[in-house]
Every structure is written in C-alpha cells, then in structure tokens.
Amino acid sequence: MKKRYYGIALLVFLVLMALMYGGSILISFGVVIGGILFAGERGIDMGYNFLMDNPNFFSILIYLICTAIMLPWYYFAFIEKRGVRQTLHAHTRRLSPICFVWVAVLTLAAQHATSLIITFVDLLAPSVINDYMELIETSGMENYSILWAVATLILPPILEETVFRGLILQYLGKTGAKFFVANIIQAVLFGIFHMNLAQGIYTFFFGLLLGYLAYRYDSILAPMVMHFFYNLFGTALVDLEARFLPEFVQGLLVLGSVPLLAIVLVAIHFRFGEKKTTVTGGEHTL
C-alpha cells in the first residue's frame, strides 16, 4: 500500500504542471477576449502587448491560480487532522534565530555556487545559456517593483515549497523510502518544473538543499526562507555586486562559495550555535 504514495507524489507534480500551463493559457485567452470586447480586432494586439509588458502581473495571476488549489490540498492532506496549532508547533519547534543566520549564509553560498554551474553549462552548451539569458530578460525578474516582489519573492517560495518540500517530499516519505532517495526524486521534479535546461540543472541542486533543510528542521518554513533569500540574492544582490564590486572580488566570492557551502552545511547538521534540546517523536512530518 505504501507504494501508492509514489503515484500520489507524481500526481501532485502533474496537477501543478497542468495548473501552471493551463492557467497561462486561460489567462492569455481571457485577456485576448477582453481586448476584443473592448477594442475589437485591435484588442488582440493590445492584450498581447499588455501581457508582454507586464510579465510579473502575469506570473502573479498564474501563481495565484496554482496556490488556490495546492494550499488546500496540503491543508486537507497534512494539517486538518492534527490541527493548525499543533502543525504550527511542529513546524517551529526546531527553529531558532541562529538557524535563520545559517540559512541566509547557506543561501549566499548557494547563489554564488550557481554561477559555477552556469559557467560549466556554458562551456558545454553555450546555446542553452543563451536561451536561459533570453528567458531572464523577458521574465520581469529585473523589473523591481511591488509586483516584482510578489511575483519573485513571495508567491514562488510559498507555492513551490508547499508543493515540493511539503506535499511531494512528505508523500515520498510515506512510501518508506530513505530520505536521500525521496530528496533526489523531489529535486529532479523541481528541476523539471522550471522547464529550462540551465535552470533545471541548478534548481536540481538547489532543490536538494531545500529538501535537506525541510528534513533537518522538520519544517517547510526553513526552505521557504531560503527560497526567498535565493530569489532576492539572485536578482537584487547580483545586480549590486555587478555594479559596485570589482570583477576579481566577484570571482573570489564565486570560488569561495563551494567551501563556504560545505562549512555551513556542517554547521547546520551538527547544530552549531543552537540550544541542544530533545525533540520527542522521531518521525519527520512536514
């Protein structure tokens, strides 16, 4: 019976993908129809231009559609039976102020390590990176605004952590699979979710880190925080570094990211700086 949870985990992923792309088609169709009703044939171009000029708004609508389905799924699957208060306690009992410091430093290292991955992929397949850079330019990730903050920093961490480190990782845990197996599976799905080879490669490794944090702290709040920082560092911080830091300093940050990543992971694993407390119940329930 436990094996059926593999199928449920896959179903979660397929539903998310269907919502993402179905929602995109639905919104595009609705904007075109609205444009036609408002301005006739000219409304088609007006609707298309509106979506192209407002990618963050478009992204917010898609993520809201997905969140409206996936959050209730998570609630009824893993929260309803034990209650909101008990669930909140379970998600926060292993968290401490120092853990968020480690998460921030880990994210900083992971973000710079991403540059190494991008460089390596560029050496092997330059066309892949060219496609990736075109995607970034049209995604609205560099158009800083309130809409950008919602579309980049708030909704993706909430939705994606609920789905991948919440629903999928927990369903995989119910199969009886060892954590490292479940973590690899959810990270692979996380990479596929981004539907871009370059992004898929580095988000696979990022997904492994997020999955480890979810397991280590028995909470999806820690990976949500890391996801927030990762998106923030990958946009605003990278721009600031490119603007104010010499290239050799940027290079040192990238080269130092791997040893820093290892050091912080060791600190997190052995709970450096954390108050040693005994957590009852060995089961990890996100």
Side-chain angles (χ1 to χ4, degrees), residues 136-186:
I136 294 299
E137 291 174 1
T138 59
S139 66
M141 292 181 63
E142 299 175 342
N143 301 332
Y144 302 127
S145 65
I146 294 177
L147 289 179
W148 166 83
V150 176
T152 303
L153 305 180
I154 298 176
L155 289 179
I158 291 174
L159 173 65
E160 293 170 23
E161 296 315 308
T162 298
V163 171
F164 289 96
R165 266 60 66 177
L167 284 166
I168 291 177
L169 187 58
Q170 191 161 344
Y171 277 132
L172 291 172
K174 288 181 174 291
T175 66
K178 293 184 180 298
F179 167 71
F180 79 90
V181 174
N183 199 31
I184 290 174
I185 293 174
Q186 66 83 18

CSV table of all heavy atoms in Angstrom, one decimal, residues 136-186:
chain,number,residue,atom,x,y,z
A,136,ILE,N,15.4,35.1,-18.9
A,136,ILE,CA,15.6,36.0,-17.8
A,136,ILE,C,15.2,37.4,-18.2
A,136,ILE,O,14.5,38.2,-17.5
A,136,ILE,CB,17.0,36.0,-17.2
A,136,ILE,CG1,17.3,34.6,-16.6
A,136,ILE,CG2,17.2,37.1,-16.2
A,136,ILE,CD1,16.5,34.2,-15.5
A,137,GLU,N,15.6,37.8,-19.4
A,137,GLU,CA,15.4,39.2,-19.9
A,137,GLU,C,13.9,39.5,-20.1
A,137,GLU,O,13.4,40.6,-19.9
A,137,GLU,CB,16.1,39.4,-21.2
A,137,GLU,CG,17.6,39.5,-21.0
A,137,GLU,CD,18.4,39.6,-22.3
A,137,GLU,OE1,17.7,39.7,-23.4
A,137,GLU,OE2,19.6,39.7,-22.3
A,138,THR,N,13.1,38.4,-20.4
A,138,THR,CA,11.7,38.6,-20.7
A,138,THR,C,10.8,38.2,-19.5
A,138,THR,O,9.6,38.3,-19.6
A,138,THR,CB,11.3,37.8,-21.9
A,138,THR,OG1,11.5,36.4,-21.7
A,138,THR,CG2,12.0,38.2,-23.1
A,139,SER,N,11.4,37.8,-18.4
A,139,SER,CA,10.6,37.2,-17.3
A,139,SER,C,10.1,38.3,-16.3
A,139,SER,O,9.3,38.0,-15.5
A,139,SER,CB,11.5,36.2,-16.5
A,139,SER,OG,12.6,36.9,-15.9
A,140,GLY,N,10.7,39.5,-16.4
A,140,GLY,CA,10.4,40.5,-15.5
A,140,GLY,C,11.1,40.4,-14.1
A,140,GLY,O,10.8,41.2,-13.2
A,141,MET,N,12.1,39.5,-14.0
A,141,MET,CA,12.8,39.3,-12.8
A,141,MET,C,13.7,40.5,-12.4
A,141,MET,O,14.1,40.7,-11.3
A,141,MET,CB,13.6,38.1,-12.8
A,141,MET,CG,12.8,36.8,-12.8
A,141,MET,SD,13.8,35.3,-12.9
A,141,MET,CE,14.7,35.4,-11.3
A,142,GLU,N,14.0,41.4,-13.4
A,142,GLU,CA,14.8,42.5,-13.2
A,142,GLU,C,14.0,43.8,-13.2
A,142,GLU,O,14.6,44.9,-13.1
A,142,GLU,CB,15.9,42.6,-14.3
A,142,GLU,CG,16.8,41.4,-14.3
A,142,GLU,CD,17.8,41.4,-15.4
A,142,GLU,OE1,17.5,42.1,-16.4
A,142,GLU,OE2,18.8,40.6,-15.4
A,143,ASN,N,12.7,43.7,-13.2
A,143,ASN,CA,11.8,44.9,-13.2
A,143,ASN,C,11.4,45.1,-11.7
A,143,ASN,O,10.3,44.7,-11.3
A,143,ASN,CB,10.6,44.8,-14.1
A,143,ASN,CG,11.0,44.5,-15.5
A,143,ASN,OD1,12.1,45.0,-16.0
A,143,ASN,ND2,10.2,43.9,-16.3
A,144,TYR,N,12.2,45.7,-10.9
A,144,TYR,CA,12.0,45.8,-9.5
A,144,TYR,C,10.8,46.7,-9.2
A,144,TYR,O,10.7,47.9,-9.6
A,144,TYR,CB,13.2,46.3,-8.7
A,144,TYR,CG,14.4,45.5,-9.0
A,144,TYR,CD1,15.6,46.0,-9.4
A,144,TYR,CD2,14.4,44.1,-8.8
A,144,TYR,CE1,16.7,45.2,-9.7
A,144,TYR,CE2,15.5,43.3,-9.0
A,144,TYR,CZ,16.6,43.9,-9.4
A,144,TYR,OH,17.7,43.1,-9.7
A,145,SER,N,9.8,46.2,-8.4
A,145,SER,CA,8.6,46.9,-8.1
A,145,SER,C,7.9,46.0,-7.0
A,145,SER,O,8.3,44.9,-6.7
A,145,SER,CB,7.7,47.1,-9.3
A,145,SER,OG,7.3,45.8,-9.8
A,146,ILE,N,6.7,46.5,-6.6
A,146,ILE,CA,5.9,45.7,-5.7
A,146,ILE,C,5.4,44.4,-6.4
A,146,ILE,O,5.5,43.3,-5.8
A,146,ILE,CB,4.7,46.5,-5.2
A,146,ILE,CG1,5.2,47.7,-4.3
A,146,ILE,CG2,3.7,45.6,-4.4
A,146,ILE,CD1,4.1,48.6,-3.8
A,147,LEU,N,5.0,44.6,-7.6
A,147,LEU,CA,4.6,43.4,-8.4
A,147,LEU,C,5.8,42.4,-8.5
A,147,LEU,O,5.6,41.2,-8.4
A,147,LEU,CB,4.1,43.7,-9.8
A,147,LEU,CG,2.8,44.5,-9.8
A,147,LEU,CD1,2.4,44.8,-11.3
A,147,LEU,CD2,1.7,43.6,-9.2
A,148,TRP,N,7.0,42.9,-8.7
A,148,TRP,CA,8.2,42.0,-8.8
A,148,TRP,C,8.4,41.3,-7.5
A,148,TRP,O,8.7,40.1,-7.4
A,148,TRP,CB,9.4,42.9,-9.1
A,148,TRP,CG,10.7,42.2,-8.8
A,148,TRP,CD1,11.3,41.3,-9.7
A,148,TRP,CD2,11.5,42.2,-7.7
A,148,TRP,NE1,12.5,40.8,-9.1
A,148,TRP,CE2,12.6,41.4,-7.9
A,148,TRP,CE3,11.4,42.9,-6.5
A,148,TRP,CZ2,13.6,41.2,-6.9
A,148,TRP,CZ3,12.4,42.8,-5.5
A,148,TRP,CH2,13.5,41.9,-5.7
A,149,ALA,N,8.2,42.0,-6.3
A,149,ALA,CA,8.4,41.4,-5.0
A,149,ALA,C,7.4,40.3,-4.8
A,149,ALA,O,7.8,39.2,-4.3
A,149,ALA,CB,8.3,42.4,-3.9
A,150,VAL,N,6.2,40.5,-5.2
A,150,VAL,CA,5.2,39.4,-5.0
A,150,VAL,C,5.4,38.3,-5.9
A,150,VAL,O,5.3,37.1,-5.5
A,150,VAL,CB,3.8,40.0,-5.3
A,150,VAL,CG1,2.7,38.9,-5.2
A,150,VAL,CG2,3.4,41.1,-4.3
A,151,ALA,N,5.8,38.6,-7.2
A,151,ALA,CA,5.9,37.5,-8.2
A,151,ALA,C,7.2,36.7,-8.0
A,151,ALA,O,7.3,35.6,-8.5
A,151,ALA,CB,5.9,38.1,-9.6
A,152,THR,N,8.2,37.3,-7.4
A,152,THR,CA,9.6,36.7,-7.3
A,152,THR,C,9.9,36.2,-5.9
A,152,THR,O,10.5,35.2,-5.7
A,152,THR,CB,10.7,37.7,-7.8
A,152,THR,OG1,10.4,38.1,-9.1
A,152,THR,CG2,12.0,37.0,-7.7
A,153,LEU,N,9.5,37.0,-4.9
A,153,LEU,CA,10.0,36.8,-3.5
A,153,LEU,C,8.9,36.1,-2.6
A,153,LEU,O,9.3,35.5,-1.7
A,153,LEU,CB,10.5,38.1,-2.9
A,153,LEU,CG,11.5,38.9,-3.6
A,153,LEU,CD1,11.9,40.1,-2.8
A,153,LEU,CD2,12.8,38.1,-3.8
A,154,ILE,N,7.7,36.3,-2.9
A,154,ILE,CA,6.6,35.9,-2.0
A,154,ILE,C,5.9,34.6,-2.5
A,154,ILE,O,5.9,33.5,-1.9
A,154,ILE,CB,5.6,37.0,-1.8
A,154,ILE,CG1,6.3,38.2,-1.1
A,154,ILE,CG2,4.5,36.5,-0.9
A,154,ILE,CD1,5.5,39.4,-0.8
A,155,LEU,N,5.3,34.7,-3.7
A,155,LEU,CA,4.5,33.6,-4.2
A,155,LEU,C,5.3,32.3,-4.5
A,155,LEU,O,4.9,31.2,-4.1
A,155,LEU,CB,3.6,34.0,-5.4
A,155,LEU,CG,2.5,35.0,-5.0
A,155,LEU,CD1,1.7,35.4,-6.3
A,155,LEU,CD2,1.5,34.4,-4.0
A,156,PRO,N,6.4,32.4,-5.2
A,156,PRO,CA,7.2,31.2,-5.5
A,156,PRO,C,7.6,30.4,-4.3
A,156,PRO,O,7.4,29.2,-4.3
A,156,PRO,CB,8.3,31.7,-6.4
A,156,PRO,CG,7.8,32.9,-7.0
A,156,PRO,CD,7.0,33.6,-6.0
A,157,PRO,N,8.2,31.1,-3.3
A,157,PRO,CA,8.6,30.3,-2.1
A,157,PRO,C,7.4,29.6,-1.4
A,157,PRO,O,7.5,28.5,-1.0
A,157,PRO,CB,9.2,31.3,-1.2
A,157,PRO,CG,9.7,32.3,-2.1
A,157,PRO,CD,8.7,32.4,-3.2
A,158,ILE,N,6.3,30.3,-1.3
A,158,ILE,CA,5.1,29.7,-0.7
A,158,ILE,C,4.5,28.5,-1.5
A,158,ILE,O,4.3,27.5,-0.9
A,158,ILE,CB,4.0,30.8,-0.5
A,158,ILE,CG1,4.4,31.9,0.5
A,158,ILE,CG2,2.7,30.2,-0.1
A,158,ILE,CD1,3.4,33.0,0.6
A,159,LEU,N,4.3,28.7,-2.8
A,159,LEU,CA,3.7,27.7,-3.6
A,159,LEU,C,4.7,26.5,-3.8
A,159,LEU,O,4.3,25.4,-3.5
A,159,LEU,CB,3.3,28.2,-5.0
A,159,LEU,CG,2.8,27.2,-6.0
A,159,LEU,CD1,1.6,26.5,-5.5
A,159,LEU,CD2,2.7,27.8,-7.3
A,160,GLU,N,5.9,26.8,-4.2
A,160,GLU,CA,6.8,25.7,-4.6
A,160,GLU,C,7.3,24.9,-3.3
A,160,GLU,O,7.5,23.7,-3.4
A,160,GLU,CB,8.0,26.3,-5.3
A,160,GLU,CG,7.6,26.9,-6.7
A,160,GLU,CD,8.7,27.7,-7.4
A,160,GLU,OE1,9.9,27.5,-7.1
A,160,GLU,OE2,8.3,28.5,-8.2
A,161,GLU,N,7.5,25.6,-2.2
A,161,GLU,CA,7.9,24.8,-1.0
A,161,GLU,C,6.7,24.0,-0.5
A,161,GLU,O,6.9,22.9,0.0
A,161,GLU,CB,8.4,25.8,0.1
A,161,GLU,CG,9.7,26.5,-0.3
A,161,GLU,CD,10.7,25.6,-0.9
A,161,GLU,OE1,11.0,24.5,-0.4
A,161,GLU,OE2,11.2,25.9,-2.0
A,162,THR,N,5.5,24.5,-0.6
A,162,THR,CA,4.3,23.7,-0.2
A,162,THR,C,4.2,22.5,-1.0
A,162,THR,O,3.9,21.4,-0.5
A,162,THR,CB,3.0,24.6,-0.3
A,162,THR,OG1,3.1,25.7,0.6
A,162,THR,CG2,1.8,23.8,0.1
A,163,VAL,N,4.4,22.6,-2.3
A,163,VAL,CA,4.3,21.5,-3.2
A,163,VAL,C,5.4,20.5,-3.2
A,163,VAL,O,5.2,19.3,-2.9
A,163,VAL,CB,4.1,22.0,-4.7
A,163,VAL,CG1,4.2,20.8,-5.7
A,163,VAL,CG2,2.8,22.8,-4.9
A,164,PHE,N,6.7,21.0,-3.3
A,164,PHE,CA,7.8,20.1,-3.5
A,164,PHE,C,8.3,19.6,-2.1
A,164,PHE,O,8.6,18.4,-2.0
A,164,PHE,CB,8.9,20.8,-4.3
A,164,PHE,CG,8.6,20.9,-5.7
A,164,PHE,CD1,8.0,22.1,-6.2
A,164,PHE,CD2,8.7,19.9,-6.6
A,164,PHE,CE1,7.7,22.3,-7.5
A,164,PHE,CE2,8.4,20.0,-7.9
A,164,PHE,CZ,7.8,21.2,-8.4
A,165,ARG,N,8.6,20.5,-1.2
A,165,ARG,CA,9.1,20.1,0.1
A,165,ARG,C,8.0,19.8,1.1
A,165,ARG,O,8.2,19.2,2.2
A,165,ARG,CB,10.0,21.2,0.7
A,165,ARG,CG,11.5,20.9,0.4
A,165,ARG,CD,11.8,20.9,-1.1
A,165,ARG,NE,11.6,22.2,-1.8
A,165,ARG,CZ,11.9,22.4,-3.0
A,165,ARG,NH1,12.3,21.5,-3.8
A,165,ARG,NH2,11.6,23.6,-3.6
A,166,GLY,N,6.8,20.1,0.8
A,166,GLY,CA,5.6,19.8,1.6
A,166,GLY,C,4.9,18.5,1.1
A,166,GLY,O,5.2,17.4,1.6
A,167,LEU,N,4.1,18.7,0.1
A,167,LEU,CA,3.3,17.6,-0.4
A,167,LEU,C,4.2,16.5,-1.0
A,167,LEU,O,4.1,15.3,-0.5
A,167,LEU,CB,2.3,18.1,-1.5
A,167,LEU,CG,1.1,18.9,-1.0
A,167,LEU,CD1,0.5,19.6,-2.2
A,167,LEU,CD2,0.1,17.9,-0.4
A,168,ILE,N,5.0,16.8,-2.0
A,168,ILE,CA,5.7,15.7,-2.7
A,168,ILE,C,6.7,15.0,-1.7
A,168,ILE,O,6.7,13.8,-1.7
A,168,ILE,CB,6.4,16.3,-3.9
A,168,ILE,CG1,5.4,16.7,-5.0
A,168,ILE,CG2,7.4,15.2,-4.5
A,168,ILE,CD1,6.0,17.3,-6.2
A,169,LEU,N,7.5,15.7,-1.0
A,169,LEU,CA,8.5,15.1,-0.2
A,169,LEU,C,7.9,14.3,1.0
A,169,LEU,O,8.4,13.2,1.3
A,169,LEU,CB,9.5,16.2,0.4
A,169,LEU,CG,10.7,15.7,1.2
A,169,LEU,CD1,11.5,14.8,0.4
A,169,LEU,CD2,11.5,16.8,1.8
A,170,GLN,N,6.8,14.8,1.5
A,170,GLN,CA,6.1,14.1,2.5
A,170,GLN,C,5.4,12.8,2.0
A,170,GLN,O,5.4,11.8,2.7
A,170,GLN,CB,5.1,15.0,3.3
A,170,GLN,CG,4.6,14.3,4.6
A,170,GLN,CD,4.0,15.4,5.5
A,170,GLN,OE1,4.2,16.6,5.3
A,170,GLN,NE2,3.2,14.9,6.5
A,171,TYR,N,4.8,12.9,0.8
A,171,TYR,CA,4.2,11.7,0.3
A,171,TYR,C,5.3,10.7,0.0
A,171,TYR,O,5.1,9.5,0.2
A,171,TYR,CB,3.5,12.0,-1.0
A,171,TYR,CG,2.1,12.6,-0.8
A,171,TYR,CD1,1.6,13.7,-1.5
A,171,TYR,CD2,1.2,11.9,0.0
A,171,TYR,CE1,0.3,14.2,-1.3
A,171,TYR,CE2,-0.1,12.4,0.2
A,171,TYR,CZ,-0.5,13.5,-0.5
A,171,TYR,OH,-1.8,14.0,-0.3
A,172,LEU,N,6.4,11.1,-0.5
A,172,LEU,CA,7.5,10.2,-0.8
A,172,LEU,C,8.0,9.6,0.5
A,172,LEU,O,8.4,8.4,0.5
A,172,LEU,CB,8.7,10.9,-1.5
A,172,LEU,CG,8.4,11.4,-3.0
A,172,LEU,CD1,9.6,12.2,-3.5
A,172,LEU,CD2,8.2,10.2,-3.9
A,173,GLY,N,8.0,10.3,1.6
A,173,GLY,CA,8.4,9.8,2.9
A,173,GLY,C,7.4,8.7,3.3
A,173,GLY,O,7.9,7.7,4.0
A,174,LYS,N,6.2,8.8,2.9
A,174,LYS,CA,5.2,7.8,3.3
A,174,LYS,C,5.4,6.4,2.6
A,174,LYS,O,4.8,5.4,3.0
A,174,LYS,CB,3.8,8.3,3.1
A,174,LYS,CG,3.3,9.4,4.1
A,174,LYS,CD,1.9,9.8,3.8
A,174,LYS,CE,1.4,10.8,4.8
A,174,LYS,NZ,1.2,10.1,6.1
A,175,THR,N,6.2,6.4,1.5
A,175,THR,CA,6.5,5.2,0.8
A,175,THR,C,7.4,4.3,1.6
A,175,THR,O,7.6,3.1,1.2
A,175,THR,CB,7.1,5.5,-0.6
A,175,THR,OG1,8.4,6.1,-0.4
A,175,THR,CG2,6.2,6.4,-1.4
A,176,GLY,N,8.1,4.9,2.6
A,176,GLY,CA,9.1,4.1,3.3
A,176,GLY,C,10.5,4.3,2.7
A,176,GLY,O,11.5,3.7,3.2
A,177,ALA,N,10.6,5.1,1.6
A,177,ALA,CA,11.9,5.3,1.0
A,177,ALA,C,12.8,6.1,2.0
A,177,ALA,O,12.4,6.9,2.8
A,177,ALA,CB,11.8,6.1,-0.3
A,178,LYS,N,14.1,5.8,1.9
A,178,LYS,CA,15.1,6.6,2.7
A,178,LYS,C,15.0,8.1,2.2
A,178,LYS,O,14.7,8.4,1.1
A,178,LYS,CB,16.5,6.0,2.5
A,178,LYS,CG,16.7,4.6,3.1
A,178,LYS,CD,18.1,4.2,3.0
A,178,LYS,CE,18.3,2.8,3.5
A,178,LYS,NZ,17.9,2.7,5.0
A,179,PHE,N,15.4,8.9,3.1
A,179,PHE,CA,15.3,10.4,2.9
A,179,PHE,C,16.1,10.8,1.6
A,179,PHE,O,15.6,11.5,0.8
A,179,PHE,CB,15.8,11.2,4.0
A,179,PHE,CG,16.0,12.6,3.7
A,179,PHE,CD1,14.9,13.5,3.4
A,179,PHE,CD2,17.3,13.2,3.6
A,179,PHE,CE1,15.1,14.8,3.0
A,179,PHE,CE2,17.4,14.5,3.2
A,179,PHE,CZ,16.4,15.3,2.9
A,180,PHE,N,17.3,10.3,1.5
A,180,PHE,CA,18.1,10.7,0.3
A,180,PHE,C,17.5,10.3,-1.0
A,180,PHE,O,17.6,11.1,-2.0
A,180,PHE,CB,19.6,10.2,0.4
A,180,PHE,CG,19.8,8.8,0.0
A,180,PHE,CD1,20.1,8.5,-1.3
A,180,PHE,CD2,19.7,7.8,0.9
A,180,PHE,CE1,20.3,7.2,-1.7
A,180,PHE,CE2,19.9,6.4,0.5
A,180,PHE,CZ,20.2,6.1,-0.8
A,181,VAL,N,16.8,9.2,-1.0
A,181,VAL,CA,16.1,8.8,-2.3
A,181,VAL,C,14.9,9.8,-2.5
A,181,VAL,O,14.7,10.3,-3.6
A,181,VAL,CB,15.6,7.4,-2.2
A,181,VAL,CG1,14.7,7.0,-3.4
A,181,VAL,CG2,16.7,6.4,-2.0
A,182,ALA,N,14.1,10.0,-1.5
A,182,ALA,CA,13.0,10.9,-1.6
A,182,ALA,C,13.4,12.3,-2.0
A,182,ALA,O,12.8,13.0,-2.8
A,182,ALA,CB,12.2,11.0,-0.3
A,183,ASN,N,14.6,12.8,-1.4
A,183,ASN,CA,15.1,14.1,-1.7
A,183,ASN,C,15.5,14.2,-3.1
A,183,ASN,O,15.3,15.3,-3.8
A,183,ASN,CB,16.2,14.4,-0.8
A,183,ASN,CG,16.5,15.9,-0.6
A,183,ASN,OD1,15.6,16.7,-0.8
A,183,ASN,ND2,17.8,16.2,-0.4
A,184,ILE,N,16.2,13.2,-3.7
A,184,ILE,CA,16.6,13.2,-5.1
A,184,ILE,C,15.4,13.3,-6.0
A,184,ILE,O,15.4,14.1,-7.0
A,184,ILE,CB,17.5,12.0,-5.4
A,184,ILE,CG1,18.9,12.2,-4.7
A,184,ILE,CG2,17.7,11.9,-6.9
A,184,ILE,CD1,19.8,10.9,-4.8
A,185,ILE,N,14.4,12.5,-5.7
A,185,ILE,CA,13.2,12.5,-6.6
A,185,ILE,C,12.5,13.8,-6.6
A,185,ILE,O,12.2,14.4,-7.7
A,185,ILE,CB,12.2,11.4,-6.1
A,185,ILE,CG1,12.8,10.0,-6.3
A,185,ILE,CG2,10.9,11.5,-6.9
A,185,ILE,CD1,12.0,8.9,-5.7
A,186,GLN,N,12.3,14.4,-5.4
A,186,GLN,CA,11.6,15.7,-5.4
A,186,GLN,C,12.5,16.8,-6.1
A,186,GLN,O,12.0,17.7,-6.7
A,186,GLN,CB,11.2,16.1,-4.0
A,186,GLN,CG,12.3,16.4,-3.0
A,186,GLN,CD,12.9,17.8,-3.1
A,186,GLN,OE1,12.3,18.7,-3.7
A,186,GLN,NE2,14.1,18.0,-2.6
